[in-house]
Amino acid sequence: IQPGLGEIVVNKQDYSEYFLRESHREHILDPFVLTGTTGQFDVTAVVKGGGHSGQAGAIRYGIAHCLQAYNPDLYRPPLRFKGYLTRDRRRVDRKK
């Protein structure tokens, strides 16, 4: 993530081409909307594994952490309140 014009690239594709569902695209943009920084940062993400929902959640988590690192005093409280800085620790159990 770096200051820019709001371009989001996922696995070398525009995020609107990579994520076909509108809900996944909104999920990724949630941290920007919450902090009022929509269109102010460029994001480049490489994700693999899981499904598109899991990948969108991972990108949202990464964006939230980058925003918090960029300006903790301003962005951390709202991101923390919404739960964007909390990792979902659930994993698939092994076969028994």
Side-chain angles (χ1 to χ4, degrees):
I1 187 170
Q2 65 262 357
L5 301 174
E7 295 178 11
I8 300 175
V9 177
V10 178
N11 293 345
K12 299 182 182 178
Q13 295 179 2
D14 186 63
Y15 86 111
S16 59
E17 294 172 6
Y18 188 79
F19 293 105
L20 301 179
R21 287 190 176 188
E22 183 67 29
S23 61
H24 293 156
R25 294 191 294 260
E26 289 174 0
H27 199 66
I28 290 171
L29 294 176
D30 281 345
F32 292 128
V33 173
L34 180 67
T35 58
T37 55
T38 306
Q40 296 179 16
F41 292 95
D42 290 343
V43 177
T44 304
V46 177
V47 290
K48 50 186 163 179
H52 284 286
S53 286
Q55 291 177 351
I59 293 171
R60 181 182 80 167
Y61 179 72
I63 289 171
H65 270 274
C66 288
L67 287 173
Q68 181 250 322
Y70 187 77
N71 190 343
D73 297 333
L74 185 60
Y75 298 141
R76 183 175 171 82
L79 292 170
R80 192 86 178 135
F81 179 75
K82 280 291 206 175
Y84 294 163
L85 298 175
T86 305
R87 182 176 178 273
D88 185 1
R89 297 199 179 272
R90 293 180 290 181
R91 295 263 174 138
V92 177
D93 284 342
R94 66 177 183 84
K95 277 189 172 179
K96 296 180 179 173

